[in-house]
Amino acid sequence: MVINIEGLDFAYGAGKQTVPVLKNINLTFPEGQITAIIGQTGSGKSTLVQQLNALLKPTAGEVHIGDHTVTNKTKEKALTPIRAEVGMVFQFPESQLFAPTVIEDVMYGPKNFGATDEEAKQAAEKALAKVGFDTSLYDQSPFNLSGGQMRRVALAGVLAMNPQTMVFDEPAAGLDPQGQAELLDLLRTLRDEGKTIVLISHQMEQVLALANQVVVMKDGQVAAHEPVEELFARPQSWFADQHLDLPETIAFQKEMEKQGFVFDHLAKTVDDLAKQLAGQLDSAKLTGQRSDQAGSQAQTGGPHHE
Amino acid sequence: MTNAITIKNLNYSYPEQGELFKNFDFSVQEGEWLAIVGHNGSGKSTLAKLILGLLDFDQGEIQVFDEKLSEETLASIRAQVGMVFQNPDNQFVGATVADDVAFGLENRQVPSKEMPAKIEAALKQVGMEDYAEREPHTLSGGQKQRVALASILALHPRVIILDEATAMLDPEGKQAVMETLKELKARYQDQLTLIMITHDMEEAALADRVAVVSDGQLVFDEKPETLFLKGKQLAELGLAQPFSMELQSALGISQTTYRTKQELATWLSTLKA
Ligand SMILES: Nc1ncnc2c1ncn2[C@@H]1O[C@H](COP(=O)(O)OP(=O)(O)OP(=O)(O)O)[C@@H](O)[C@H]1O
Ligand SMILES: Nc1ncnc2c1ncn2[C@@H]1O[C@H](COP(=O)(O)OP(=O)(O)OP(=O)(O)O)[C@@H](O)[C@H]1O
Ligand SMILES: [Mg+2]
Ligand SMILES: [Mg+2]
């Protein structure tokens, strides 16, 4: 399923109180790919993705979601089937939790779209396992959980529904490092299964590792929309203008280039960066330095005592 | 050295769940910059809420400066400890952004004449001065986190606890908050104690000391320079190393020296073939 936005404007509120946010957006989200949306705080990312499952309707312009078209005039009733096709994990997970227990919360989606209790339970358990949620907490209230545990329940809620398109608004925020790494694998797997994924993230490393293409938002407009390799090949000054950072691996490459190192491609991972660096290091010197450094560490290191 | 926070033999469990903290001992020195890291559900936020007296512990003792936490000292302790919550929506009380900052100041009996200037200064500190009249719930995620931070900074507490307070900020916003904290530390020195709960290992590496919590237990408690040499143990705890140490490890360099990104870049350039 392809999502296509044409000439979209969006303003919050009505009458005199309107706050215009999105201006003249034209975008396509291709099927089976990961599209990342990045941009400064307040640039309109969360507002934009809420158009993708019609939680917000455009003030002007059209959103084509598979066979559905959403405009300002579209009736609420016509929006319901869209919710089954486009799942959304919100920026603050609490805002989407509501059931008395974790398991019921995750079962709600499948049941709402016609699954039997048994099917819904199976889907929920499978989804909770995928996000590494502790089985002993299934019968807890979703509100009596830690921040990262709530995030996992919210993620599972969408996975259990298994929609064709999934939108994730800062899904890694609040996850511990292991949870973040597992989330990357999960999103990759979903893409490989043919899902259309939209990912908002402030973590450029994640975007570099996952995205096929990137949309850069600035003041409610699209400042760039291109394949990920193209985007991160832009000069550092461009990123500074957008108030964005380069991913750590690429920033480190740029730093080393100033020292005379050369790289034949942008490093997507730390391992890739290490490989490209290793060939340019004097291995004899490296070993020498190593034992040297180890010696001096013995005097300054050691655990800290109060 | 005076302790800002002393925790002795603390026991706490949520009624709905099994035991979390058992005979937990911990202290934070006055003027220290402490980071607390640990897997999801390890007890970090609970610990912060216990210190603020938002939860009643079952046994043990919590002392903030020279006061033991009890019903009688609760107000005085809360006046000294400011906490930015993990979800800013749980912290907002005002109808507008300005009201929200004002609320804490009123509680501390700041004369109303001084309020507008204080509110403006706090919002400026986080770049939110143009949003003073907005309803907090209509802000973007990062804007909410900035306001939540401003409301606490306005109070100049002796102890600031940040519970993942930068998780929704853009890279520039994160950087700006870290700079603000560094400036405050430089200005107030030992008068300001900073406790930062975070999943961002780069952020944790900026602290004087890092406490690692796992299932309610303190597993490591040391300087970042030594903690972040323990790549394998950290991975087993669901944690990670900062980028510079991951790169060293990927390069096969034995993990005996902690280096920041800049230090690593400089060092590697001396090894160029
Ligand atoms: N309900 C609302 N009423 C009025 N303005 C709003 C409302 N929700 C959001 N805004 C404003 O719209 C702009 C875009 O907000 P949005 O939440 O889309 O930003 P974002 O790019 O997701 O930011 P962040 O990275 O901080 O989450 C912001 O300036 C915000 O204050
Ligand atoms: N209100 C509550 N009622 C019952 N149990 C709770 C409540 N809040 C948290 N817990 C449980 O207590 C444990 C510790 O939670 P806490 O919120 O302190 O973790 P945390 O270290 O802050 O995790 P995170 O990194 O996910 O924010 C978790 O197992 C959690 O499920
Ligand atoms: Mg947002
Ligand atoms: Mg927490």
Side-chain angles (χ1 to χ4, degrees):
Chain A
M1 192 180 69
V2 180
I3 298 183
N4 196 16
I5 299 182
E6 279 170 28
L8 177 138
D9 292 341
F10 179 81
Y12 282 105
K16 268 199 209 144
Q17 296 283 350
T18 57
V19 185
V21 174
L22 301 175
K23 282 161 283 236
N24 191 29
I25 310 279
N26 295 284
L27 283 174
T28 300
F29 297 85
E31 188 167 303
Q33 294 198 3
I34 299 181
T35 302
I37 304 180
I38 65 176
Q40 222 183 342
T41 281
S43 59
K45 303 178 298 297
S46 297
T47 307
L48 175 63
V49 298
Q50 289 178 63
Q51 320 279 333
L52 301 181
N53 77 342
L55 270 176
L56 297 174
K57 289 192 287 187
T59 308
E62 297 184 348
V63 184
H64 302 280
I65 303 163
D67 302 332
H68 312 276
T69 294
V70 182
T71 69
N72 194 9
K73 303 231 154 44
T74 310
K75 297 260 179 330
E76 270 312 303
K77 240 181 80 186
L79 304 178
T80 319
I82 297 176
R83 309 275 152 75
E85 292 171 41
V86 183
M88 170 112 50
V89 179
F90 290 93
Q91 189 161 9
F92 293 101
E94 282 97 325
S95 56
Q96 75 191 95
L97 303 174
F98 64 96
T101 66
V102 166
I103 190 80
E104 287 171 274
D105 202 287
V106 181
M107 282 167 65
Y108 177 83
K111 269 172 74 174
N112 197 30
F113 294 113
T116 64
D117 273 8
E118 195 45 43
E119 286 163 352
K121 187 140 189 272
Q122 269 181 14
E125 283 173 357
K126 213 170 118 193
L128 285 163
K130 274 191 190 159
V131 297
F133 189 82
D134 191 340
T135 48
S136 70
L137 299 175
Y138 282 4
D139 295 323
Q140 288 284 321
S141 156
F143 299 100
N144 290 347
L145 295 175
S146 81
Q149 289 167 343
M150 285 187 198
R151 168 71 69 194
R152 289 169 200 248
V153 176
L155 285 164
V158 168
L159 293 179
M161 283 169 54
N162 196 31
Q164 208 292 315
T165 298
M166 299 189 195
V167 181
F168 299 93
D169 195 347
E170 292 283 347
L175 291 182
D176 55 33
Q178 186 185 337
Q180 295 192 22
E182 287 166 3
L183 178 75
L184 291 195
D185 289 339
L186 179 65
L187 295 185
R188 259 191 220 107
T189 310
L190 290 169
R191 175 192 37 207
D192 294 346
E193 289 168 1
K195 303 283 186 207
T196 304
I197 309 277
V198 180
L199 167 71
I200 295 182
S201 180
H202 285 307
Q203 291 186 30
M204 297 304 129
E205 295 73 32
Q206 249 174 43
V207 172
L208 178 64
L210 283 175
N212 299 99
Q213 46 176 341
V214 187
V215 175
V216 182
M217 293 297 292
K218 193 181 189 191
D219 298 330
Q221 286 177 294
V222 176
H225 179 204
E226 57 203 23
V228 68
E229 288 82 6
E230 228 169 90
L231 178 81
F232 287 122
R234 285 178 182 250
Q236 210 150 10
S237 57
W238 186 86
F239 283 86
D241 286 346
Q242 305 296 318
H243 306 278
L244 290 170
D245 264 3
L246 283 167
E248 297 270 27
T249 49
I250 296 178
F252 200 82
Q253 281 182 309
K254 302 240 174 207
E255 188 57 38
M256 298 311 285
E257 275 169 0
K258 288 187 208 147
Q259 319 282 340
F261 285 73
V262 281
F263 301 96
D264 54 20
H265 64 272
L266 296 177
K268 280 210 171 187
T269 62
V270 172
D271 284 338
D272 183 7
L273 174 59
K275 248 184 233 143
Q276 294 191 61
L277 274 169
Q280 305 181 57
L281 294 171
D282 182 333
S283 55
K285 270 193 203 162
L286 190 63
T287 340
Q289 285 282 357
R290 240 194 256 166
S291 48
D292 210 39
Q293 294 287 329
S296 70
Q297 176 63 25
Q299 285 137 37
T300 54
H304 171 76
H305 295 288
E306 280 159 70
Chain B
M1 259 292 188
T2 323
N3 277 350
I5 292 169
T6 316
I7 298 176
K8 282 191 200 140
N9 200 24
L10 180 79
N11 285 259
Y12 180 74
S13 48
Y14 285 101
E16 302 85 353
Q17 287 196 22
E19 194 163 70
L20 185 56
F21 292 108
K22 190 171 163 108
N23 305 335
F24 189 85
D25 291 311
F26 190 64
S27 61
V28 187
Q29 280 176 16
E30 183 173 20
E32 207 175 4
W33 182 334
L34 171 81
I36 304 180
V37 302
H39 65 79
N40 289 139
S42 56
K44 305 178 297 295
S45 299
T46 305
L47 188 62
K49 287 177 193 162
L50 285 164
I51 293 170
L52 271 176
L54 294 169
L55 297 168
D56 291 329
F57 46 88
D58 305 326
Q59 250 186 63
E61 188 182 301
I62 295 179
Q63 193 173 325
V64 178
F65 295 104
D66 49 9
E67 290 177 304
K68 265 190 208 162
L69 179 61
S70 70
E71 221 144 296
E72 290 75 52
T73 59
L74 193 60
S76 145
I77 285 178
R78 285 196 191 155
Q80 300 176 68
V81 184
M83 167 146 154
V84 181
F85 286 82
Q86 190 162 1
N87 181 345
D89 286 324
N90 296 341
Q91 185 177 329
F92 293 136
V93 283
T96 66
V97 165
D99 284 354
D100 206 78
V101 181
F103 182 80
L105 292 169
E106 273 163 15
N107 267 349
R108 278 166 213 206
Q109 273 120 34
V110 170
S112 50
K113 262 201 309 210
E114 295 171 22
M115 295 259 266
K118 287 206 149 107
I119 294 170
E120 185 168 337
L123 289 176
K124 269 215 173 109
Q125 210 164 12
V126 298
M128 287 297 291
E129 64 275 19
D130 295 341
Y131 294 80
E133 295 314 314
R134 262 292 193 77
E135 292 170 42
H137 75 89
T138 69
L139 297 173
S140 83
Q143 290 167 342
K144 282 180 185 171
Q145 276 199 320
R146 288 176 187 220
V147 172
L149 188 65
S151 300
I152 297 304
L153 291 181
L155 307 175
H156 297 295
R158 285 171 88 184
V159 180
I160 298 180
I161 306 179
L162 302 176
D163 193 352
E164 293 184 45
T166 65
M168 296 287 174
L169 296 182
D170 58 23
E172 193 180 63
K174 251 187 197 191
Q175 197 85 36
V177 169
M178 287 303 132
E179 288 308 317
T180 304
L181 295 178
K182 280 185 202 162
E183 273 165 32
L184 289 175
K185 277 300 300 168
R187 178 152 21 123
Y188 294 104
Q189 310 229 348
D190 279 356
Q191 307 300 307
L192 174 63
T193 305
L194 200 56
I195 302 175
M196 208 166 56
I197 298 172
T198 183
H199 290 301
D200 182 337
M201 299 299 136
E202 309 292 330
E203 234 173 69
L206 297 175
D208 302 324
R209 176 163 70 110
V210 186
V212 181
V213 186
S214 181
D215 294 331
Q217 301 205 347
L218 187 65
V219 236
F220 292 112
D221 180 11
E222 55 193 281
K223 292 181 181 143
E225 291 85 346
T226 59
L227 176 71
F228 287 125
L229 301 176
K230 301 185 163 88
K232 237 176 108 186
Q233 285 132 297
L234 290 171
E236 279 161 14
L237 293 163
L239 302 174
Q241 288 176 298
F243 167 78
S244 58
M245 295 308 290
E246 280 187 353
L247 180 56
Q248 287 204 65
S249 137
L251 281 165
I253 297 165
S254 62
Q255 303 261 313
T256 45
T257 306
Y258 178 83
R259 293 184 181 87
T260 62
K261 273 178 281 193
Q262 286 72 27
E263 286 164 357
L264 182 60
T266 310
W267 181 62
L268 287 177
S269 58
T270 67
L271 306 181
K272 194 167 180 304

